[in-house]
Amino acid sequence: KELDYPVVFHIIQHKQLLPYSIGMPPVGSSSMGSGGFPRPPLPRWRPAFRHTGRAPVRTVVVGAAAASVSVALHHFSTASSEALTQGQPQTTRQERMARWMEGWTIGRTAFHKPNVNQTILDNEKTWLGKKNFLTKAPTQLRVLVPLCGKTVDMPYIAGLEQVGTVVGIEGVPLAVEQFLQENPQSEMKPCESSSSAFKVYKGNKLELYEGDFFELSPATTEPFDRVWDRGSLVAVQPALREKYVATLDAVLVPGATILFEGLHRKEGPEAACMKGPPWSVTEDDLKKLFEKRGYTIKKLSSKNILKEEQYERFRSEGLTVMNQEAWLLTKPKK
């Protein structure tokens, strides 16, 4: 029968709970309501709302088996949320991806921005360097964008003269699907991968790796000259930061630079300052993670963004100062 509401089915596949959406419009489309949630037509029936403690998910329950699956996902998501709040490390990919899978499915993607990030525009030459005016040829840098979502930054960076290839890493299939749909000019096509850990798409100066970032290694990719990290390190649990940086460092050439944009929950109740994601990343955190590897650290900018309307949820937590900070992290040349 025809259904008016987008239906979110939660099914168990290969002993993992994976969310699948049917008929859900892309985020940012005219059919989206406030907060990025779908604005469906008036239904001819009243759906049951399953409350997860964060956002309502419209669910159609068909029989006892489907009800069991819905309840199972509820408990799984709740357990994952509690682990995040308590700072307990989520070690399996299933645990790490639960929140993000659900978020993309229901449109909880406020971190996605429709315009190219200002930090890139302000620091383009500092980060990428100038093209070689002696040979009149671009440098052809390889740029990595970890946990990329469907960011519009990737096509922009790929269009710069200094850049040869931009590679995005994303673990949520729906985010990859939406990027491919929204960037037809990139002509992305699936291709063979040297590793079973990733499903790879390639196009015009763009590559997209669908899979677990922690599977990235010199065996699965060529090395990178530059990294754009916005919304990546701040999304990783503090207990997993060391593993994240070790994974990142292993695929960077000597002298590589990382343009990092993070958030510093600076002033407010301790619980709000320690909350995440996005997790607070301070200068001390960066020094602890990178200086022991020989990286130089330079602050490029810092501003309190809580006055902006879009950050109301952080103000509601009691935060009075939350700085958006840009940093340039440079790997030693030897």
Side-chain angles (χ1 to χ4, degrees):
K1 296 292 183 180
E2 182 184 23
L3 299 176
D4 289 302
Y5 268 91
V7 181
V8 180
F9 288 97
H10 301 292
I11 67 174
I12 297 178
Q13 185 179 67
H14 303 304
K15 299 182 180 180
Q16 294 188 3
L17 288 169
L18 301 174
Y20 286 81
S21 64
I22 294 181
M24 182 164 288
V27 174
S29 69
S30 59
S31 57
M32 300 303 286
S34 61
F37 289 97
R39 185 188 296 115
L42 292 174
R44 290 189 289 272
W45 49 275
R46 180 180 297 276
F49 282 86
R50 175 179 58 77
H51 186 64
T52 64
R54 292 181 299 281
V57 178
R58 299 178 179 88
T59 314
V60 173
V61 179
V62 184
S68 299
V69 173
S70 182
V71 171
L73 181 64
H74 168 71
H75 289 299
F76 182 76
S77 299
T78 302
S80 298
S81 178
E82 290 175 352
L84 283 170
T85 303
Q86 298 168 10
Q88 299 172 5
Q90 296 170 293
T91 55
T92 69
R93 183 173 187 270
Q94 176 180 315
E95 291 173 328
R96 286 187 278 108
M97 295 305 299
R99 172 189 172 85
W100 306 107
M101 291 279 196
E102 181 186 29
W104 279 95
T105 299
I106 65 177
R108 188 184 60 216
T109 55
F111 49 80
H112 175 74
K113 305 300 179 184
N115 301 314
V116 175
N117 191 280
Q118 192 62 42
T119 294
I120 295 177
L121 301 177
D122 292 343
N123 300 281
E124 190 177 300
K125 291 182 179 179
T126 303
W127 174 45
L128 298 177
K130 300 177 181 179
K131 77 172 187 176
N132 189 336
F133 287 99
L134 294 177
T135 62
K136 307 283 186 184
T139 309
Q140 299 297 292
L141 299 168
R142 275 178 60 81
V143 180
L144 173 64
V145 185
L147 312 190
C148 62
K150 60 171 185 176
T151 177
V152 299
D153 296 339
M154 288 196 296
Y156 174 80
I157 297 171
L160 298 175
E161 287 185 296
Q162 304 97 314
V163 176
T165 306
V166 176
V167 178
I169 312 294
E170 177 54 53
V172 180
L174 184 56
V176 173
E177 179 184 332
Q178 290 185 11
F179 180 85
L180 298 177
Q181 291 174 348
E182 295 172 17
N183 294 276
Q185 76 283 358
S186 298
E187 299 181 347
M188 306 286 284
K189 304 293 182 183
C191 64
E192 292 186 6
S193 172
S194 59
S195 170
S196 60
F198 296 101
K199 185 176 181 179
V200 178
Y201 299 85
K202 292 185 179 182
N204 297 329
K205 296 178 66 176
L206 272 171
E207 297 180 11
L208 202 51
Y209 285 34
E210 180 186 313
D212 187 352
F213 172 80
F214 290 117
E215 295 291 334
L216 199 66
S217 72
T220 58
T221 183
E222 296 178 21
F224 296 93
D225 308 287
R226 300 289 187 270
V227 178
W228 167 230
D229 185 323
R230 182 261 171 193
S232 184
L233 180 57
V234 297
V236 175
Q237 267 195 289
L240 293 174
R241 284 178 179 172
E242 179 62 34
K243 182 178 180 181
Y244 172 86
V245 173
T247 302
L248 189 62
D249 180 66
V251 295
L252 300 185
V253 300
T257 57
I258 304 169
L259 182 59
F260 168 66
E261 182 184 278
L263 295 175
H264 180 186
R265 296 169 177 254
K266 192 172 184 179
E267 295 180 15
E270 182 179 1
C273 290
M274 299 296 290
K275 193 175 181 180
W279 306 94
S280 184
V281 177
T282 67
E283 182 172 2
D284 287 342
D285 292 331
L286 292 175
K287 288 180 176 179
K288 180 180 178 181
L289 291 167
F290 289 96
E291 280 192 343
K292 65 182 178 181
R293 293 179 167 87
Y295 283 68
T296 58
I297 300 174
K298 179 182 179 181
K299 181 182 283 189
L300 301 174
S301 64
S302 178
K303 67 174 182 178
N304 183 8
I305 58 176
L306 285 185
K307 293 181 180 180
E308 298 178 28
E309 183 179 351
Q310 60 184 309
Y311 298 107
E312 168 59 31
R313 81 174 179 93
F314 296 101
R315 292 194 296 272
S316 68
E317 294 171 3
L319 290 172
T320 56
V321 177
M322 184 173 73
N323 290 338
Q324 178 178 284
E325 300 177 342
W327 299 83
L328 193 69
L329 314 172
T330 305
K331 184 173 181 174
K333 293 185 177 180
K334 293 184 179 181

